[in-house]
Amino acid sequence: MTKKSGVVVLGIFVADTTYLAERMPVIGETLMGRGFSVGPGGKGSNQAVAAARAGAETTFLSKIGKDTFGELAQSTYRESGVKAQLMIEEAEPTGAAFIYVNDTSGENAIIVYPGAAGKIDSPFIEENRQTIENAKVFVTQMEQPEEAALQALRIAKGAGVTTVFNPAPASRFSPEFFELCDYIVPNETEAEAIVGFPVDSFETAQKAGEILCDKGAGVALITLGEKGVYVHSKEIRAMVPAVTNAPVLDTSGAGDAFIGGFTAALSENQDVVAATRFGCATAGISVSRRGTAPSMPQRHEIDDLLKNVGY
Ligand code: RIB
């Protein structure tokens, strides 16, 4: 049997078009923006960039279009050292996202259109079976079709790969997902969509963690923004605090930074609490910079922050 190694991510790439403004416009209103940028995004793609920069051998599986945004994807993976196994969908454009970022708080709101990655299907997953089976850690989300995510998780789980599922964006999904994930990583909104009550404190996260594990997940990691990450399993009930070294500028992609750092640490056999701290440090640096994928830190920056906070 081939030795398992590295992080494999199934997900989407899109071009993030980010608008800085004092607030969201209301319907019928035009609002003057205070900044604009275009850069690489998509949850899976951001997670892959974060994992690679954090030091993991990382492979990204997706579909892109034959266009300028597709070229942006390719150059992003070249620069960040991600091995990309991409299929070009000639008839579809590469996707894009509208991201509003509040210029005071750094909070965000997003609309994402997956474009070519919306065509990720069963034959594509089958073609990549070996890559998934050989991973040490496999991670996916809900931005590509649900059936593809489910099929890839079944393959990973069947091959004894450590599986991580980020149920984002918040949506209804098959209950089969729970038993296929060693780790489920929702944020507050995504956790609330699953458990049906607001999840915004240690107590509510603990209740939510119990439900997620009862449904079949191995460990639940609920990301709670500036409060940190709540970790729940049969043995662990712990709040790992958020860490940062600079003011928060832009929270978009923070969850992806966490997952990239967390999975990179898992692939090095770090235990779940140490890997969560590593993920928190990755996210803590990313929120002090603008953009999603471009804000992901290098390994030495994560190590320095962990050292500075005494971990
Ligand atoms: O998690 C942030 C990401 O969500 C953005 O990059 C955007 O593309 C959406 O997919």
Side-chain angles (χ1 to χ4, degrees):
M1 198 173 86
T2 325
K3 193 168 170 290
K4 296 194 184 304
S5 72
V7 176
V8 172
V9 185
L10 169 70
I12 77 167
F13 169 89
V14 298
D16 282 349
T17 63
T18 302
Y19 299 78
L20 260 189
E22 58 182 323
R23 61 177 172 80
M24 281 280 270
V26 296
I27 297 297
E29 180 189 29
T30 301
L31 193 68
M32 296 300 288
R34 293 181 172 175
F36 174 75
S37 65
V38 182
K43 294 184 194 300
S45 179
N46 296 339
Q47 291 166 14
V49 169
R53 289 200 188 153
E57 179 196 318
T58 306
T59 305
F60 181 58
L61 310 175
S62 196
K63 290 192 177 187
I64 56 171
K66 196 176 177 186
D67 48 28
T68 318
F69 288 167
E71 284 162 21
L72 174 63
Q74 309 262 22
S75 61
T76 299
Y77 306 132
R78 270 195 304 275
E79 282 158 23
S80 52
V82 171
K83 181 171 177 243
Q85 292 178 195
L86 303 170
M87 182 178 276
I88 312 281
E89 277 279 330
E90 305 236 349
E92 295 289 334
T94 306
F98 156 87
I99 306 187
Y100 153 74
V101 175
N102 182 284
D103 69 346
T104 313
S105 68
E107 288 168 322
N108 69 84
I110 300 177
I111 299 174
V112 62
Y113 175 68
K119 299 282 175 196
I120 294 177
D121 53 8
S122 181
F124 176 80
I125 301 298
E126 208 40 57
E127 252 173 59
N128 288 288
R129 170 182 280 274
Q130 215 173 30
T131 303
I132 297 169
E133 287 180 341
N134 290 342
K136 180 107 183 244
V137 181
F138 173 75
V139 53
T140 193
Q141 329 68 26
M142 289 292 285
E143 287 188 320
Q144 71 284 305
E146 173 177 350
E147 193 42 48
L150 204 50
Q151 187 182 345
L153 280 167
R154 282 189 204 116
I155 292 173
K157 191 74 179 166
V161 175
T162 298
T163 55
V164 179
F165 176 49
N166 172 215
S171 53
R172 283 188 179 282
F173 53 83
S174 159
E176 192 190 340
F177 273 92
F178 293 102
E179 67 210 33
L180 291 173
C181 45
D182 295 314
Y183 300 90
I184 188 165
V185 193
N187 67 12
E188 299 106 312
T189 314
E190 292 140 14
E192 177 174 349
I194 299 169
V195 299
F197 54 82
V199 180
D200 50 11
S201 63
F202 182 85
E203 291 72 26
T204 51
Q206 188 168 348
K207 266 194 216 151
E210 256 157 43
I211 295 173
L212 296 171
C213 291
D214 283 351
K215 284 178 183 286
V219 182
L221 295 138
I222 304 175
T223 59
L224 298 166
E226 74 276 4
K227 295 189 193 79
V229 175
Y230 174 72
V231 186
H232 191 104
S233 71
K234 277 198 196 88
E235 302 82 24
I236 308 169
R237 271 113 227 253
M239 184 68 115
V240 175
V243 286
T244 191
N245 53 358
V248 174
L249 269 189
D250 179 350
T251 60
S252 54
D256 302 330
F258 173 77
I259 290 172
F262 174 73
T263 52
L266 278 188
S267 76
E268 294 172 6
N269 298 323
Q270 294 194 33
D271 68 46
V272 61
V273 172
T276 303
R277 286 187 188 133
F278 191 90
C280 284
T282 310
I285 299 169
S286 93
V287 298
S288 70
R289 298 170 177 169
R290 295 217 180 275
T292 54
S295 72
M296 302 306 172
Q298 299 290 341
R299 175 60 177 253
H300 66 91
E301 300 175 289
I302 306 169
D303 287 340
D304 286 350
L305 176 56
L306 285 168
K307 209 156 59 188
N308 287 344
V309 294
Y311 279 150

